[in-house]
Amino acid sequence: ALGGALALATLPVGASLDGATGELYREAARRLRTLFPTKGVRLVFVSAGHGEGAAGVMVELARVLARWGERVLLVDAHLE
């Protein structure tokens, strides 16, 4: 952890959820469920600059969790 933040994984952006890339996202989602087993958890994804893929990672993780029956609310906000 760095300053209270947790690095979950390094994930590729813009790839299909099938095959090896999909497995990376599913493993990251499993880790999230293990780290935060309680319902109603709020997560924040950040990046240092524009175009680094944080929104894409959030969308893919949200898709995996939703497919598993989790309730997901995704808010993408650019705070500049």
Side-chain angles (χ1 to χ4, degrees):
L2 176 64
L6 174 67
L8 180 66
T10 301
L11 299 167
V13 178
S16 168
L17 285 181
D18 297 326
T21 300
E23 186 54 36
L24 290 172
Y25 277 95
R26 286 186 291 279
E27 178 59 29
R30 277 190 286 276
R31 289 180 185 176
L32 282 174
R33 289 172 100 185
T34 300
L35 289 168
F36 307 104
T38 343
K39 300 290 183 188
V41 172
R42 291 160 187 87
L43 301 173
V44 177
F45 292 80
V46 297
S47 62
H50 179 71
E52 291 186 343
V57 168
M58 290 187 306
V59 167
E60 297 305 329
L61 280 173
R63 287 176 57 198
V64 169
L65 291 167
R67 286 181 182 173
W68 290 351
E70 299 288 340
R71 292 179 60 192
V72 177
L73 171 64
L74 181 62
V75 177
D76 184 10
H78 298 278
L79 306 175
E80 296 178 16

